[in-house]
Each structure stands twice: as structure tokens, then as C-alpha cells.
Amino acid sequence: MKRWLANIHLILTLKCEESSRLVSAGFDRQLSWSEWLAMRLHVSICRSCRRFRRQVTMLQQAIRSRFESNAATEKLSTEGKQRILDGVRAKLR
């Protein structure tokens, strides 16, 4: 019962700073139902947090597409691989 009340309190009193933290955390881990609901409700009524969520989403998509395009089109040369391997081995000595 106490945990349930804490979840309801979070949902009803979420501030912008906490909402921003949850928006960011939602890209790194799965939010609990109460975190997700609190964030979604807050974002639905707060223009600034809605804008922040859109910006973070666009940034994540841009980064993901950049890494995916690099992985598909760019291959490291044999010489490049050897230089990296030599550098790692030198650091381990």
C-alpha cells in the first residue's frame, strides 16, 4: 500500500527536472509503469518538456542512423586494424 501511494504521489507531483531525467532514462532503460505514466502525463501538459522529449528523440535517432550507416559502409583496413591492435598491446605492457 505504501509503495502504491508513493507511485501515485510521483505521478501527481512530477516537476520538469524530474520529467527531463525520466525522458533521458527512458532511452537507457525501461521505466517502471509509474515513472512512465508520470513522465507521459507531465509531457502532455508541459510545452517545454514536450520540446525536450522531441529533441532527445531526434538526437537519439540521428546518432543511431549515423552509427548504422558507418557500420554498413565503412570497413577498417587491414593496416588500420593492425595499428589499433599494436596500440592496445603496447598499452598493456
Side-chain angles (χ1 to χ4, degrees), residues 1-16:
M1 179 75 161
K2 193 174 190 179
R3 184 162 175 83
W4 185 80
L5 289 174
N7 289 338
I8 295 298
H9 183 264
L10 172 69
I11 292 166
L12 297 176
T13 62
L14 192 70
K15 296 187 176 19
C16 290

Side-chain angles (χ1 to χ4, degrees), residues 59-71:
L59 182 60
Q60 184 199 38
Q61 289 170 345
I63 290 169
R64 182 179 290 142
S65 70
R66 177 69 177 140
F67 280 110
E68 287 171 355
S69 68
N70 277 349

Side-chain angles (χ1 to χ4, degrees), residues 17-57:
E17 184 177 341
E18 296 163 326
S19 175
S20 300
R21 183 184 59 78
L22 289 175
V23 166
S24 296
F27 288 104
D28 299 328
R29 64 177 174 85
Q30 185 170 352
L31 300 178
S32 70
W33 73 268
S34 58
E35 290 174 323
W36 179 85
L37 183 59
M39 183 268 299
R40 292 296 292 193
L41 287 173
H42 183 87
V43 166
S44 73
I45 61 171
C46 179
R47 173 187 273 175
S48 297
C49 289
R50 204 168 31 252
R51 184 180 307 123
F52 176 74
R53 186 170 186 267
R54 273 196 312 268
Q55 290 170 342
V56 171
T57 301

